[in-house]
Amino acid sequence: MCGIAGYINLNQKPVADTEIILNMLRVQKHRGPDDSGIRAFSLKRGESLELRVDEPVRLQGSFEGILGFNRLSILDLSKNGHQPMVSPEGNVILALNGEIYNAFDYTDELQNWGYRFRSTTDTEIVLALYLKYGLNETLHRLNGMFAVVIVDLSLKTLFIARDRFGIKPMYYIGIDGTLGFSSELKSFEYVEGFDFQLETSKLDEYMIFRNNLYGTLFKNVQSLEPGHYLEYTFDKGIIIRQYFDVDAFTRSKVAPAGFEEYSREIEMWLGQSVRRQLMSDVKLGCQLSGGIDSSLVTWLANRNSNKGNFESVSIIFENENFSEEKYINEVANVLGIVSHKFLLDSTYYVDNIEQATWHLESPINHPNTIGIYKLSQCAKQFVTVLLSGEGADEVFGGYERFYSIQYPLNRKKILDEIFSSLSQRK
């Protein structure tokens, strides 16, 4: 997790100093505690300038935009991974929050093209891909979760893009002649002329579905939609473009097969996905709940890690009706991994609900949110990167409510057959 923040004056008014951007970065410093950077830029003049981050400074040039970044170092812990990152010629500035799982598939191709890497980060590979292919082709080549800001001084264009499914956040505002953008809403508090006001028309949707599909709970604050990018030039203004549509995505047809073949196929795809997410120069572990999803991810991650080097973190409860500790213990014992368990009690819940809401930036939409907040606090004692199985229980029918569904398929019958087959294999 890293943090992006920045703004550009649409009326081309020069940025006076760095006080605003430093405040925008400071309030989301938790996203990237390892390093920070800011760079002023001018689309009009095609120039940029790196600035200090330890104290505010006045700008001596005509820079109408500024880009800031807080870094959590995962790949290449050296200063070579510093962001915002600038191309060798100095005409492209890039800030990337996220992970690109297929980034290093392109290393040889880009080196053969003539690019000379200064770091071993996936960020620089995205920068090189952009220099070679431009924005659209680059976005279609990326397999990962990301929010990326690109300032192309040659094209006099600012791009802001979000991954296909919106895993990484990116918000933007347009107010009083300023386009502001950030990984977190709270940074907008420091943008001149902006004031947080509740968007009451979005409240019923949030209360019913625990989320807003479009927009946010605040007036004039937009969430860049998944699979979209924002393009800004002084001539054309702000344009939102879609580069990926899940409904139009072409899926390959799978030939009919038996249980054994399907099992091997699922294991192959899951294994490939987990292996790609093990790229890290820091210690990583797994968020283990004891359910089907996190247990599968933990098993696959441990299998592809150095023996004895993988650890899990879990939240447990005093009430056995809610706690899944016995399943957590079973997975940890079978795999032979170190298991860290943290108790969530009512005192912690009450004492931390306000701070958890501050981080979530919306009303708590699920009781487990407080548990995930504590898990994140405690996990940093042992690991820097956490894998999880969010959403996989729904895919693999891991809840009882899915077990009894009869339409459109008799899932109970299917699951009974799978369990019977597994028993016979033992």
Side-chain angles (χ1 to χ4, degrees):
M1 181 171 70
C2 299
I4 298 172
Y7 64 93
I8 182 170
N9 291 325
L10 308 182
N11 56 10
Q12 303 184 35
K13 176 183 176 181
V15 174
D17 54 49
T18 59
E19 185 173 358
I20 291 176
I21 190 64
L22 288 177
N23 284 330
M24 293 177 75
L25 289 176
R26 177 185 53 80
V27 77
Q28 55 167 294
K29 181 63 178 176
H30 51 271
R31 299 187 68 90
D34 298 323
D35 185 29
S36 295
I38 56 175
R39 199 166 190 97
F41 61 89
S42 171
L43 297 183
K44 183 178 180 180
R45 295 187 297 113
E47 297 179 3
S48 74
L49 177 66
E50 185 171 19
L51 300 165
R52 60 192 301 175
V53 296
D54 55 339
E55 62 181 7
V57 296
R58 292 195 62 82
L59 298 184
Q60 299 301 317
S62 300
F63 299 101
E64 66 273 2
I66 196 160
L67 174 61
F69 191 81
N70 286 323
R71 186 187 183 205
L72 176 66
S73 303
I74 304 298
L75 293 171
D76 194 340
L77 311 187
S78 74
K79 286 292 185 179
N80 292 331
H82 178 76
Q83 294 191 52
M85 190 173 286
V86 183
S87 64
E89 295 78 15
N91 61 329
V92 174
I93 309 163
L94 182 144
L96 172 74
N97 168 32
E99 289 183 282
I100 309 302
Y101 305 127
N102 65 337
F104 298 104
D105 295 349
Y106 298 114
T107 303
D108 290 343
E109 173 191 345
L110 293 167
Q111 287 178 331
N112 292 334
W113 175 58
Y115 190 90
R116 296 295 173 258
F117 288 95
R118 297 162 292 177
S119 73
T120 56
T121 63
D122 51 351
T123 300
E124 190 172 9
I125 288 178
V126 176
L127 176 59
L129 284 171
Y130 175 81
L131 295 174
K132 180 175 173 59
Y133 293 110
L135 184 69
N136 271 290
E137 180 66 18
T138 296
L139 292 175
H140 283 96
R141 284 172 174 261
L142 300 184
N143 175 358
M145 54 180 184
F146 60 87
V148 61
V149 175
I150 299 174
V151 180
D152 192 321
L153 299 176
S154 297
L155 296 179
K156 301 185 182 301
T157 304
L158 167 69
F159 297 108
I160 305 173
R162 196 173 179 202
D163 62 68
R164 291 171 176 82
F165 297 103
I167 301 172
K168 289 298 182 181
M170 178 51 69
Y171 304 99
Y172 65 95
I173 60 172
I175 187 165
D176 290 342
T178 298
L179 168 63
F181 48 90
S182 177
S183 298
E184 295 198 0
L185 298 168
K186 57 182 69 71
S187 289
F188 295 138
E189 176 184 352
Y190 301 98
V191 176
E192 189 175 349
F194 180 77
D195 181 40
F196 282 108
Q197 297 181 41
L198 178 65
E199 181 57 84
T200 55
S201 64
K202 298 285 187 181
L203 196 56
D204 55 349
E205 179 189 13
Y206 188 89
M207 299 299 290
I208 295 172
F209 298 107
R210 301 179 179 177
N211 194 21
N212 291 112
L213 187 59
Y214 304 107
T216 70
L217 286 175
F218 297 101
K219 289 183 179 179
N220 301 316
V221 181
Q222 302 300 320
S223 176
L224 187 60
E225 293 181 33
H228 286 68
Y229 68 86
L230 179 153
E231 177 181 332
Y232 173 75
T233 61
F234 285 129
D235 293 338
K236 297 181 180 179
I238 299 172
I239 302 174
I240 306 295
R241 303 185 190 275
Q242 184 176 26
Y243 71 90
F244 177 81
D245 182 358
V246 66
D247 293 327
F249 185 67
T250 303
R251 297 165 178 82
S252 58
K253 293 184 178 180
V254 179
F259 176 79
E260 294 287 344
E261 188 172 341
Y262 281 140
S263 297
R264 287 192 295 269
E265 191 86 359
I266 290 174
E267 183 177 336
M268 180 193 72
W269 285 110
L270 278 176
Q272 183 183 99
S273 175
V274 171
R275 280 194 302 275
R276 285 186 179 274
Q277 297 184 48
L278 294 176
M279 297 187 308
S280 177
D281 291 331
V282 294
K283 193 169 184 179
L284 50 79
C286 194
Q287 179 181 320
L288 177 60
S289 68
I292 290 176
D293 51 3
S294 64
S295 297
L296 277 172
V297 172
T298 303
W299 167 57
L300 290 164
N302 181 63
R303 189 174 69 175
N304 289 280
S305 300
N306 294 330
K307 189 172 180 61
N309 191 44
F310 198 76
E311 302 179 15
S312 68
V313 292
S314 308
I315 289 294
I316 59 174
F317 306 91
E318 292 177 322
N319 190 326
E320 293 186 359
N321 293 325
F322 298 101
S323 183
E324 296 182 298
E325 186 174 9
K326 62 180 180 181
Y327 303 114
I328 294 168
N329 291 340
E330 183 174 352
V331 173
N333 291 334
V334 169
L335 298 182
I337 62 174
V338 176
S339 175
H340 304 284
K341 294 175 290 187
F342 313 106
L343 178 67
L344 178 64
D345 56 23
S346 58
T347 300
Y348 181 90
Y349 201 100
V350 172
D351 289 346
N352 289 274
I353 190 169
E354 181 177 348
Q355 188 65 14
T357 303
W358 184 83
H359 280 288
L360 190 64
E361 301 187 310
S362 59
I364 296 295
N365 57 12
H366 197 287
N368 287 347
T369 300
I370 308 297
I372 294 174
Y373 178 62
K374 179 166 188 176
L375 184 143
S376 300
Q377 280 185 316
C378 298
K380 67 180 180 180
Q381 304 171 46
F382 308 100
V383 298
T384 302
V385 178
L386 270 180
L387 277 68
S388 71
E390 289 293 323
D393 267 335
E394 286 76 5
V395 175
F396 289 99
Y399 296 111
E400 290 185 5
R401 62 179 177 270
F402 296 131
Y403 191 73
S404 59
I405 292 176
Q406 302 296 312
Y407 180 83
L409 298 173
N410 189 333
R411 288 177 172 81
K412 183 177 185 303
K413 180 180 178 181
I414 294 173
L415 290 172
D416 283 341
E417 291 176 354
I418 290 175
F419 296 146
S420 176
S421 175
L422 288 173
S423 299
Q424 293 174 10
R425 290 171 66 183
K426 291 181 180 179

